[in-house]
């Protein structure tokens, strides 16, 4: 599909890519560079639990994917289950992929230089690393800008563990 046709040297960061792993494999197979962006599951689950009665959480729990849950089921437990399910699906998708890495948000300062090296990125490393200290709120519109340009000639696709979009707003259009 056209939604998955990215230009060369493009970095796509979108948690919804985790819903399209089969299609990503059909389009890119082992030719893209994949990043499993991760964050402490309890922090992600807490974020999802705040949205327990709408969106993906409602679709996941009632009457959705894990049908039949009692109405008094702990929202955090459901959110952790959702996060673990997404994480497991991404890990299975990445199994056997030769161009991939896991990137922990909690160790972004250490992981980001390795990511940049792996994709052949050029840019202001200090400025990019400083962005990880800035709290981004997805309810506030910010101007997006590019600090990096991937030089490898292949798109870098980042299937995100859900709930991380706001943390990487300024790293979204890096081409």
């Amino acid at each position: 599909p056209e939604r998955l046709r990215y230009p060369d040297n493009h970095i796509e960061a979108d948690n919804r890519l985790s819903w399209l792993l089969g299609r990503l494999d059909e389009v890119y197979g082992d030719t893209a560079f994949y990043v499993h962006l991760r964050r402490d599951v309890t922090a992600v689950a807490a974020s999802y639990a705040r949205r327990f009665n709408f969106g993906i959480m409602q679709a996941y729990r009632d009457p959705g994917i894990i049908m039949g849950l009692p109405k008094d089921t702990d929202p955090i437990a459901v959110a952790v289950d959702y996060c673990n399910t997404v994480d497991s699906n991404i890990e299975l998708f990445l199994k056997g992929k030769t161009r991939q890495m896991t990137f922990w948000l909690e160790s972004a300062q250490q992981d980001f230089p390795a990511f940049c090296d792996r994709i052949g990125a050029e840019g202001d490393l200090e400025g990019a690393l400083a962005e990880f200290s800035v709290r981004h709120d997805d309810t506030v519109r910010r101007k997006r800008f590019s600090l990096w340009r991937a030089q490898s000639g292949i798109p870098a696709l980042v299937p995100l563990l859900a709930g991380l979009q706001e943390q990487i707003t300024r790293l979204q259009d890096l081409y």
Side-chain angles (χ1 to χ4, degrees):
E2 196 60 32
R3 158 75 171 93
L4 299 178
R5 300 281 178 202
Y6 302 111
D8 287 349
N9 302 324
H10 178 77
I11 298 173
E12 182 70 16
D14 188 335
N15 63 318
R16 295 167 297 185
L17 289 175
S18 65
W19 305 341
L20 304 169
L21 298 176
R23 289 180 171 190
L24 283 173
D25 194 63
E26 289 172 1
V27 174
Y28 294 102
D30 198 26
T31 63
F33 185 79
Y34 299 99
V35 178
H36 187 178
L37 183 59
R38 300 191 60 184
R39 180 178 168 208
D40 175 66
V41 72
T42 56
V44 178
S47 175
Y48 273 115
R50 287 191 296 273
R51 297 171 275 162
F52 191 67
N53 292 314
F54 59 92
I56 190 61
M57 289 307 301
Q58 182 178 16
Y60 187 72
R61 66 164 175 83
D62 181 39
I65 297 167
I66 53 173
M67 296 179 277
L69 284 178
K71 293 289 183 196
D72 62 345
T73 300
D74 178 25
I76 292 287
V78 177
V80 166
D81 185 73
Y82 173 74
C83 292
N84 288 337
T85 298
V86 170
D87 187 54
S88 179
N89 288 339
I90 293 170
E91 287 177 8
L92 182 62
F93 169 77
L94 292 174
K95 192 175 183 176
K97 299 278 192 287
T98 59
R99 297 176 178 164
Q100 59 138 314
M101 74 177 288
T102 298
F103 186 110
W104 285 92
L105 197 57
E106 290 84 2
S107 62
Q109 299 274 334
Q110 294 78 33
D111 290 350
F112 191 68
F115 166 72
C116 293
D117 184 58
R118 302 264 319 259
I119 66 169
E122 297 174 348
D124 176 8
L125 180 59
E126 286 184 31
L129 289 172
E131 282 299 310
F132 288 103
S133 317
V134 177
R135 179 173 171 84
H136 295 279
D137 183 345
D138 65 347
T139 63
V140 176
R141 284 292 202 201
R142 299 179 187 272
K143 182 179 178 195
R144 294 185 177 159
F145 66 94
S146 175
L147 293 173
W148 290 86
R149 178 173 179 81
Q151 297 297 317
S152 62
I154 58 172
L157 303 178
V158 185
L160 300 181
L161 182 59
L164 300 179
Q165 190 74 32
E166 68 274 9
Q167 297 296 328
I168 58 168
T169 300
R170 291 188 180 181
L171 301 176
Q172 194 168 21
D173 283 328
L174 304 177
Y175 66 92

